Amino acid sequence: MNILALETSCDETSASVVSNGSKVKSVVISSQIKIHAKYFGVVPELASRAHIENINPVIAKALKKASVTFSDFPKKIHAIAVTVGPGLSGALLVGAIAAKTMATVYKKPLIPVNHLEGHLYSAFIENKSIKPPFLGVIISGGHTELIIVEDFGKYKTLGRTRDDAAGEAFDKAAKMLSLEYPGGPVIDKRAEKGNPNAIKFTRPYLKGSWDFSFSGIKTALLNYLKVNPVKNERHLNDICASFRQAVAETLCFKAFEAVEKFSLKQIALGGGVSANSLIRNMFMQEGKKNKIKIFIPSLIYCTDNAAMIACAAYLKQKKCGLNYNNIQLKPDPSLPLENW
Ligand SMILES: Nc1ncnc2c1ncn2[C@@H]1O[C@H](COP(=O)(O)OP(=O)(O)OP(=O)(O)O)[C@@H](O)[C@H]1O
Ligand SMILES: [Mg+2]
């Protein structure tokens, strides 16, 4: 089954054609980072406008790469999937309208997908062997969640962040350090050259709860910088390495505590922060030590992309069928994660 998926929940316009949830025939991602960088965050209205400009060329490119012409679209594409939330309302609307239009014109079923399920199943694109149950660790720009996936579409959310998401913490830390946006990749790169033990930032383990809190690490950085302004490149790299270490250890500690407590044997990471090189290594090493299988998507599938939406849609229709009401499909900016 070939699914054409669209993703426009935040600042990436993406379209992808995926066969049977894992064979990626094309994935096109148009990033708006340059537009939002000077504001150190995504400006919703600018994001919607950029999606409007990008959506048609991105879809056309994805179809072309997958060798689908508009005339053989009805034969080659069997369903359309689209992110319906959570995300920015105007941004979501652009993808939803494009998807609805194509579904109506080509008389195709339209599968609504929760963006978090895209991140949750993104490791499945390259690993057909994962089978629930597993612990899903979503670490992105807007979310930090530990979710037990008991079965496809059957979730038990253990904990989430009480304040900043992991990615948000990286972005805000970068701003404090006068580095570029988004902060995650920049801090990650500098951290490789720094000493992770130079500064001992707090690890907010929140014992007795599965929740996270990253604003404490962020405040610890702010307080540190008040007394110790950045001296030179080496000092800056040490701060980045120490900050990254604190975030990675917190995430890893809680995730492995959860798999032990709930007797799980697999962890699947997803979301932009799972592109972090230390977090990837730390989870792999801990996994090896504790005999837990770790699944981490390739870098391209960590941040927002439509291939993960196609993958989640494929799994969803396998379990629930294709009976969705195309016309009534409505994006919801605060869509909760719901069981299928
Ligand atoms: N190498 C990295 N290390 C740490 N963080 C990273 C890295 N690469 C990207 N990020 C972070 O990932 C985030 C973007 O991820 P993603 O696109 O999944 O988030 P989002 O879609 O904006 O949020 P959500 O999925 O919660 O709606 C940014 O905060 C960015 O700083
Ligand atoms: Mg995302």
Side-chain angles (χ1 to χ4, degrees):
M1 169 186 242
N2 293 333
I3 295 180
L4 166 65
L6 305 183
E7 155 63 45
T8 64
S9 68
C10 192
D11 59 341
E12 265 95 23
T13 316
S14 180
S16 174
V17 178
V18 181
S19 183
N20 296 333
S22 61
K23 190 164 186 288
V24 180
K25 297 189 163 188
S26 66
V27 55
V28 177
I29 305 166
S30 167
S31 168
Q32 304 173 9
I33 282 177
K34 279 194 187 139
I35 298 175
H36 304 289
K38 61 176 170 220
Y39 305 103
F40 269 95
V42 179
V43 182
E45 191 47 42
L46 295 182
S48 318
R49 286 187 219 166
H51 283 305
I52 292 171
E53 280 170 22
N54 294 336
I55 192 79
N56 285 347
V58 164
I59 294 171
K61 214 165 159 187
L63 289 173
K64 191 169 178 208
K65 275 196 174 173
S67 305
V68 180
T69 62
F70 280 103
S71 58
D72 61 15
F73 186 113
K75 246 193 330 206
K76 288 195 175 166
I77 300 293
H78 307 110
I80 294 164
V82 65
T83 304
V84 286
L88 302 170
S89 118
L92 288 165
L93 206 55
V94 178
I97 290 171
K100 263 191 195 187
T101 308
M102 286 190 292
T104 309
V105 170
Y106 293 115
K107 298 187 177 58
K108 294 291 169 191
L110 180 54
I111 308 166
V113 176
N114 184 311
H115 182 75
L116 291 187
E117 287 176 322
H119 284 311
L120 202 51
Y121 297 122
S122 54
F124 280 66
I125 301 170
E126 298 152 300
N127 291 288
K128 271 191 177 165
S129 67
I130 325 174
K131 298 259 177 318
F134 64 89
L135 180 74
V137 180
I138 301 180
I139 39 179
S140 60
H143 294 84
T144 306
E145 314 230 343
L146 290 184
I147 299 163
I148 299 180
V149 180
E150 293 168 348
D151 191 3
F152 294 117
K154 192 161 178 241
Y155 309 117
K156 186 173 163 195
T157 301
L158 293 180
R160 52 171 59 97
T161 184
R162 291 183 185 175
D163 37 61
D164 291 338
E168 198 180 351
F170 274 111
D171 295 339
K172 288 179 176 169
K175 190 175 179 193
M176 286 180 214
L177 294 165
S178 305
L179 297 170
E180 308 95 85
Y181 172 87
V186 192
I187 290 181
D188 196 12
K189 206 166 153 199
R190 283 194 170 268
E192 289 295 301
K193 295 181 262 176
N195 173 8
N197 303 312
I199 308 136
K200 184 82 182 166
F201 290 122
T202 175
R203 271 73 167 152
Y205 292 133
L206 305 186
K207 290 259 159 65
S209 160
W210 297 109
D211 283 348
F212 295 92
S213 167
F214 289 106
S215 77
I217 307 183
K218 196 187 63 187
T219 309
L221 171 63
L222 186 68
N223 290 338
Y224 174 82
L225 289 173
K226 275 184 196 157
V227 185
N228 310 277
V230 178
K231 283 189 291 222
N232 49 37
E233 285 288 304
R234 193 169 152 199
H235 184 209
L236 179 56
N237 293 343
D238 284 350
I239 298 172
C240 288
S242 303
F243 184 84
R244 181 180 72 163
Q245 191 72 25
V247 175
E249 277 181 21
T250 307
L251 288 167
C252 204
F253 176 85
K254 296 205 72 125
F256 280 86
E257 202 179 39
V259 285
E260 195 191 335
K261 166 87 181 157
F262 296 98
S263 308
L264 296 162
K265 294 274 164 255
Q266 310 177 96
I267 296 178
L269 260 62
V273 181
S274 54
N276 187 274
S277 46
L278 176 67
I279 292 172
R280 295 171 86 89
N281 287 337
M282 209 181 256
F283 270 82
M284 292 312 284
Q285 273 173 21
E286 281 300 302
K288 217 169 175 184
K289 222 164 62 193
N290 296 289
K291 297 199 169 44
I292 304 292
K293 273 194 180 173
I294 308 295
F295 299 95
I296 311 177
S298 290
L299 293 184
I300 187 173
Y301 303 128
C302 289
T303 40
D304 292 352
N305 67 90
M308 69 182 192
I309 302 304
C311 177
Y314 177 75
L315 295 170
K316 193 171 177 182
Q317 63 77 37
K318 238 175 129 181
K319 191 164 173 186
C320 316
L322 284 165
N323 293 323
Y324 298 99
N325 187 324
N326 291 6
I327 300 299
Q328 275 180 7
L329 176 139
K330 241 199 236 151
D332 177 355
S334 10
L335 188 71
L337 188 66
E338 279 169 343
N339 288 344
W340 299 342

